[in-house]
C-alpha cells in the first residue's frame, strides 16, 4: 500500500484519498488546522520522535476528531 505524504497534500485531501488501513505520513514541522479522520487510517509523524511533528489546532477545539467510521485508526509519533 502506497503511503500518502503530508504536506504534499492537505490532511483533508490525504484522508479523502486514503483507503482503509493506509498510512498517511506527516512531514516534520508544525501543521496548522483541525484534522477529521473519517476512515480507518494510520497517521504517522515522519520526524525523529513525536516532538518533531506537531499538529496545532490554533486553539480552535479538538485538533484531531476521529469519527465512528474510523474505528481502528492510529496516530503515531505526533505531538
Amino acid at each position: 500500500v502506497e503511503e500518502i505524504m503530508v504536506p504534499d497534500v492537505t490532511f483533508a485531501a490525504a484522508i479523502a484519498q486514503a483507503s482503509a488501513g493506509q498510512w498517511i505520513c506527516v512531514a516534520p514541522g508544525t501543521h496548522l488546522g483541525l484534522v477529521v479522520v473519517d476512515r480507518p487510517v494510520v497517521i504517522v509523524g515522519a520526524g525523529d520522535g513525536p516532538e518533531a511533528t506537531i499538529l496545532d489546532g490554533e486553539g480552535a477545539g479538538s485538533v484531531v476528531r476521529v469519527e465512528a467510521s474510523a474505528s481502528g485508526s492510529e496516530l503515531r509519533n505526533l505531538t
Side-chain angles (χ1 to χ4, degrees):
V1 176
E2 184 177 323
E3 296 175 346
I4 299 173
M5 192 70 180
V6 173
D8 290 348
V9 296
T10 65
F11 266 110
I15 292 168
Q17 291 175 23
S19 302
Q22 193 161 16
W23 285 45
I24 298 172
C25 294
V26 184
T30 299
H31 301 271
L32 303 176
L34 305 178
V35 178
V36 178
V37 181
D38 65 353
R39 63 196 71 212
V41 294
V42 179
I43 300 174
V44 180
D48 291 328
E51 64 282 346
T53 308
I54 300 167
L55 305 180
D56 183 346
E58 301 180 281
S62 297
V63 177
V64 178
R65 187 176 80 215
V66 179
E67 302 286 338
S69 58
S71 178
S73 289
E74 297 179 38
L75 300 174
R76 300 179 183 175
N77 206 36
L78 300 163
T79 298

